[in-house]
Every structure is written in structure tokens, then in C-alpha cells.
Amino acid sequence: MGRGRAKAKQTKVARELKYSSPSTDFDALQRELASGDPFSRHTVEDDDQVDSRYSEYSYDER
């Protein structure tokens, strides 16, 4: 009991999301896409560099 009002609200919100057509700011989207890749400043290390850095933490010794 007591779930009817909550379920009705969820149904209403879901229906509004499904059938609404929000306006898209294409200018803002174009600026965001033209600004470049935000992950390009991160570099990936070579496997050898990573292996040598963490070789002291090897758990292969049994």
C-alpha cells in the first residue's frame, strides 16, 4: 500500500522523458567537439617502463 502515488509519478516522468523533444544547442555542441580530445594530454607508458617500475612488487614468487 502507498505505492500508487509514487508509481504514478514515475510513470508521468517516464512518459514526459519518452515523448519530449528537448531543444539541442548545436552551436555549443560544435564548440565542445572542436575544442579537441580531452584525453589527448594523457600518455600511455610502454609496457617495459611499467614492468621496470613495478618489478619490485612482483608476486610470482611462490
Side-chain angles (χ1 to χ4, degrees):
M1 272 205 306
R3 178 149 155 59
R5 187 175 289 179
K7 187 173 185 334
K9 178 146 176 94
Q10 289 176 345
T11 303
K12 178 183 176 187
V13 169
R15 190 174 292 121
E16 287 174 358
L17 289 172
K18 182 177 180 180
Y19 294 113
S20 68
S21 57
S23 61
T24 303
D25 187 0
F26 290 107
D27 293 330
L29 179 62
Q30 184 177 10
R31 285 192 303 273
E32 182 178 342
L33 293 174
S35 67
D37 185 15
F39 300 107
S40 64
R41 64 176 177 251
H42 300 291
T43 59
V44 177
E45 295 178 304
D46 292 327
D47 289 337
D48 295 334
Q49 291 175 342
V50 173
D51 290 343
S52 65
R53 180 182 296 171
Y54 297 106
S55 62
E56 65 186 86
Y57 301 109
S58 177
Y59 294 103
D60 292 334
E61 303 169 17
R62 291 182 184 192

